[in-house]
Amino acid sequence: MRKLLVTIGLLTLFVSAAFAGGDGEKGSGGALPDITLEGYSRETDERMGFDLQWKVDGQTLRVQMAALTTGWIAVGFDPTNMMANANFLIGYVSNGTPFMSDHFGDGTFKHTQDTKLGGKDNFSDVEGEEINGATLIRFSIPLDSGDAYDKPLEQGKTYRVIYAYGPDGKDDFATYHSKNRGGFEITL
Ligand code: HEM
C-alpha cells in the first residue's frame, strides 16, 4: 500500500511539473525560433540567446526580435552610454497576447515609459508568440517619430543596438535582466 502511495505521489509530481506554467511560461532549455524573414537583415547572438531582424520600409523600420525567455524581451536603439538615451521597445507575450511599451533611456541604467516623460508610444503592427521557451515579437517604428523620447534613424547609417531580456515568466517591463544583456552595431 505504502509503495502504491509513493508511486502515485511521484506520478502526481511528474505530471504537475510537466504542465507547470499553463500558457507556456516554462523554464529555459528551449531554442531560438528558426524564423528567417525574407528581405530582412539579421544579427544573432546564439550564445546569449538573442536574435534581431530588421528592414527599412519607406519611413518605417520593421523589426523582429526573439530571445530565449518566456519573460520580457527588448531592444534599445542608439544609446549614448550604457542604457542612456536609447529608444527602447520592450515586449512580452502573456496568454498568447503580445504587450509592448515604448521607453527612453533617461539614465545610465534606467529607462522610463515615453508617455511618463511627456512623449508618446510610437510603435505599430505588434505581433508576438512564445515558441519552445523563447519569445518572438514583431513591431514597426517610424524612422523619425519626431518624439523627443525616440531616436531619429536614417537608412544606410550604422547604430549601436542594445538588447536585454528578463527571466522566464517575468511578463513585465521592470524585472532586472541580470547577465542577459548585450549589444552590437547594425546598419539600416
Ligand atoms: C527592465 C529594467 C532594467 C533594469 C532594472 C536595468 C538595470 C541595469 C543595471 C543595474 C545595469 C548595470 C549592471 C549590469 O551591467 O548588469 C544595466 C546594464 C545594462 N542594461 Fe539594463 N536594465 C533594465 C532594462 C534594460 C533594457 C530594456 C535593455 C536593452 C534593451 C538593457 C540593456 C542593458 C545593457 C546593454 C547593459 C550593459 C551596459 C554596458 O555594460 O555597456 N537594460 N542595466
Side-chain angles (χ1 to χ4, degrees), residues 78-127:
D78 199 24
T80 49
N81 173 32
M82 308 277 184
M83 293 165 59
N85 297 303
N87 179 25
F88 289 97
L89 285 307
I90 312 174
Y92 60 82
V93 176
S94 181
N95 293 315
T97 304
F99 293 85
M100 184 104 214
S101 196
D102 183 0
H103 287 225
F104 185 70
D106 56 340
T108 318
F109 299 126
K110 193 168 173 282
H111 58 85
T112 299
Q113 199 176 353
D114 287 17
T115 52
K116 290 198 176 130
L117 296 166
K120 286 186 180 157
D121 267 336
N122 288 296
F123 56 78
S124 56
D125 310 324
V126 179
E127 295 173 353

Side-chain angles (χ1 to χ4, degrees), residues 72 74-75 82-83 88 109 111 163-164 173-177 181-182:
W72 64 266
V75 274
M82 308 277 184
M83 293 165 59
F88 289 97
F109 299 126
H111 58 85
Y163 67 82
F173 303 118
T175 306
Y176 180 42
H177 45 66
R181 84 288 194 277

Side-chain angles (χ1 to χ4, degrees), residues 170-184:
K170 291 293 175 192
D171 288 343
D172 59 46
F173 303 118
T175 306
Y176 180 42
H177 45 66
S178 189
K179 290 208 161 36
N180 294 326
R181 84 288 194 277
F184 42 72

